[in-house]
Amino acid sequence: MSVASPSVASRPIASLLVKAAPAVISVGLLLLAWQLYATCSGIKPTTLPTPSRVFEQAMLNREALVDNAIPTIRATLIGFAFSLGAAFALSMLVDFFRPLRRALFPVFIVSQTLPLVAIAPLVVLWFGFGLTPKIMLVALVTFFPMLVALVEGYEATETEIGQMLRAMGAGRWRVFVLARLPSALPYFFAGLRISITYAVVGAIFAEYAGAAKGLGIYMLNAKNNFRPDLVLAAVGVSAALTLVLFGLTVLLQRLVMPWERAAGTGPRQ
């Protein structure tokens, strides 16, 4: 049995560090500039706390942050799951029945023009302070990018592939499964990465409009108590959740489409 040498085993780690270095450096410089400005400008900590104070308060209040992050994560994941299922189902209907595209797309486009800050309180007013309005708002802000990406991906299928499958006796459903759906995968994952960045924001907006617990209501209470350090700590938690979900979508794409990584055409992070 051959054992990989330490130098070979460490190559993936070294490659990951090289890819992450620009992002780490840019974030580090941004935090350093923030720290220097907040320290040297004479601005009050109650107006702009330093990153070190935000981190300190996040550690001191970590139990409350985790306790409020759990409902936000639950609403985000359930809402995004509903959005994903609806996007797939409607994209197939639109692909099989073309007139539906002209009938439904204007409605979906109008739904994306609704300002979330205005619609969130109304949804909470109509459906209460439970989980339902959070799910609906997350689905509202994440549904359309995935739907458009899937429909455009179906349209990108090479005509010759469909003609060849039909010449071999494949029906419309089989052509969809064997040709149109695989062709749409790169488009779908591009839409998925866009949508997932809005999912946490949608859940927080819903909580901000009205909730018993969650990062949104935590930020609102901290703001009302003039605690910008706790507001920024909650913002940091929501940003971390978004980055984790984004990373999971990239990992999922690599698992579902291993041929792209082998060919060197996968997503460049």
Side-chain angles (χ1 to χ4, degrees):
M1 180 184 298
S2 61
V3 179
S5 63
S7 59
V8 174
S10 63
R11 285 177 187 172
I13 299 176
S15 176
L16 182 62
L17 291 175
V18 170
K19 290 181 179 179
V24 172
I25 292 172
S26 62
V27 172
L29 290 175
L30 180 63
L31 292 176
L32 179 61
W34 177 7
Q35 179 77 27
L36 292 174
Y37 178 78
T39 303
C40 303
S41 65
I43 193 170
K44 294 181 180 179
T46 53
T47 302
L48 180 64
T50 61
S52 58
R53 176 174 175 80
V54 172
F55 181 76
E56 177 188 2
Q57 292 302 311
M59 291 296 100
L60 292 175
N61 295 273
R62 59 184 179 274
E63 292 184 3
L65 286 169
V66 170
D67 191 40
N68 283 276
I70 292 174
T72 303
I73 295 172
R74 181 169 60 248
T76 299
L77 294 180
I78 296 176
F80 195 73
F82 272 98
S83 176
L84 181 60
F88 257 119
L90 279 172
S91 71
M92 287 189 292
L93 286 174
V94 167
D95 190 61
F96 276 82
F97 307 102
R98 299 300 175 88
L100 281 178
R101 180 170 183 171
R102 294 189 295 271
L104 296 178
F105 264 54
V107 178
F108 297 146
I109 293 171
V110 169
S111 73
Q112 299 304 298
T113 65
L114 299 175
L116 196 58
V117 68
I119 198 67
L122 294 176
V123 174
V124 172
L125 178 65
W126 295 334
F127 297 97
F129 294 91
L131 190 60
T132 302
K134 285 78 171 175
I135 293 174
M136 294 179 65
L137 285 169
V138 170
L140 177 66
V141 299
T142 59
F143 164 78
F144 192 65
M146 287 187 291
L147 176 65
V148 171
L150 283 166
V151 172
E152 292 298 321
Y154 300 149
E155 295 295 329
T157 306
E158 294 184 13
T159 307
E160 292 79 5
I161 297 177
Q163 291 174 346
M164 181 183 66
L165 288 172
R166 282 190 289 271
M168 297 172 64
R172 192 170 183 183
W173 173 251
R174 196 161 182 81
V175 171
F176 176 83
V177 172
L178 295 179
R180 299 182 72 80
L181 185 59
S183 296
L185 285 179
Y187 293 81
F188 163 69
F189 280 107
L192 187 70
R193 290 197 297 272
I194 294 171
S195 295
I196 202 68
T197 59
Y198 298 142
V200 178
V201 176
I204 288 176
F205 256 109
E207 293 167 349
Y208 207 84
K213 188 180 290 186
L215 288 176
I217 198 68
Y218 184 87
M219 292 179 192
L220 181 62
N221 291 335
K223 178 182 73 69
N224 292 338
N225 290 321
F226 302 99
R227 292 296 304 273
D229 48 356
L230 293 181
V231 173
L232 291 172
V235 169
V237 173
S238 67
L241 291 176
T242 301
L243 288 173
V244 169
L245 292 174
F246 186 90
L248 289 175
T249 62
V250 174
L251 178 61
L252 179 63
Q253 181 174 3
R254 292 183 176 180
L255 293 174
V256 173
M257 304 175 63
W259 59 86
E260 281 202 345
R261 183 173 52 173
T265 59
R268 297 179 181 180
Q269 305 299 328

